[in-house]
Amino acid sequence: MKRITIRTVAIQAFFVCMIFLFLKNPQHYYFVPLFTLIGNAVALFWVQMHVFRTLKIRFVPLEKGYLKHTIRKSSSFFFSRIAATVYQATNTFFLGLMYTPGNVKVGMYVASDRLVGTAKTAFSPIADSLYPYMVKNRDFKLLKKIMLVIMPPVIIGCIVLGIYAKPFMALFLGSAFYEAGSILRILLPIIAITPLVYMLGFPTLSPMGLAKHANLSTIVSAVVQIIGLSVLFLTDIFTVHTLCYITVISQSTVLFYRFIIVWKNRHIFTTKELVSDVLET
């Protein structure tokens, strides 16, 4: 985890510094993928050297049937990762069908969606750092405490931002994006539920022996998203705002699914806590 953290921080620091140094006008957009490629290439080389020299891990021939077994065993993770990208891909696809390039409404949606995505990214390190700890210690009491600490300020912040969404967008992105506040307001529930979605995912379900449901919830959400957008398109009621409502519903499906699974298997919490109390005694 230490090596992964150092690598990730180094890549992001390099990327941000290069953007500030070289990106001077819109014609320099090609620097973005270039610096991303350089940063990841250096990180890959760095990690490979660590693997070879320090961990003494070398390439070896695969055993017969190993590849087939691994693909079958990890297929749910593979499809869940694809499903995670469906939200963005399908929204972009349907927006492209309904609106011309450069449409003002599309620009406002993209700006709002990027802000929501940035906010979601801010919660990711919490779940990422909890995951190895939870798998090792199964400390569900700590997980509950973290939720109780994080959720009140997140909910209050979303309510305040919802009230002042339009002035916020105008202040943050310019007066031309004032009306984008109405779009951001619809998408705010996604930010509000994100900490719960992340923490009820692998940090909770893996220690419970239910990691497959973390993947299935993402796949179910993607199906809901595709069906919802298809219905909007076929019934001719597709707009940026209805798109946002479907997106909120599909993202909420992940939380609902994971909550139901955790609730149905809540006896596991009691068992773990009893064992923990006995060991402490």
Side-chain angles (χ1 to χ4, degrees), residues 237-254:
I237 58 173
F238 185 98
T239 66
V240 169
H241 289 84
T242 55
L243 166 66
C244 292
Y245 287 123
I246 290 297
T247 301
V248 171
I249 291 172
S250 68
Q251 296 296 294
S252 300
T253 303
V254 180

Side-chain angles (χ1 to χ4, degrees), residues 167-184:
F168 171 80
M169 292 298 283
L171 176 65
F172 193 72
L173 297 175
S175 58
F177 287 88
Y178 181 83
E179 290 301 325
S182 61
I183 299 174
L184 177 63

Side-chain angles (χ1 to χ4, degrees), residues 87-152:
Y87 150 66
Q88 188 66 47
T90 53
N91 284 6
T92 303
F93 175 74
F94 280 96
L95 283 171
L97 290 177
M98 297 301 296
Y99 296 97
T100 58
N103 186 280
V104 174
K105 291 183 179 180
V106 174
M108 290 185 177
Y109 167 79
V110 171
S112 302
D113 183 60
R114 290 293 182 271
L115 288 175
V116 172
T118 301
K120 290 175 63 178
T121 303
F123 297 118
S124 180
I126 300 174
D128 292 343
S129 59
L130 273 174
Y131 176 70
Y133 174 82
M134 287 298 299
V135 170
K136 180 180 180 180
N137 298 287
R138 302 181 180 184
D139 190 353
F140 296 111
K141 290 182 178 180
L142 174 63
L143 196 66
K144 182 179 179 180
K145 290 178 182 178
I146 293 174
M147 291 181 186
L148 292 175
V149 170
I150 290 177
M151 290 310 299

Side-chain angles (χ1 to χ4, degrees), residues 70-84 131 202 206 211-216 218-219:
T70 302
I71 292 175
R72 184 173 63 250
K73 185 177 179 180
S74 62
S75 60
S76 62
F77 292 90
F78 172 72
F79 288 114
S80 72
R81 297 288 75 76
I82 293 178
Y131 176 70
F202 288 105
S206 290
K212 67 177 183 179
H213 289 288
N215 294 319
L216 286 174
T218 306
I219 296 172

Side-chain angles (χ1 to χ4, degrees), residues 16-24:
V16 172
C17 290
M18 293 300 101
I19 290 296
F20 275 106
L21 287 174
F22 291 96
L23 213 66
K24 303 299 182 181

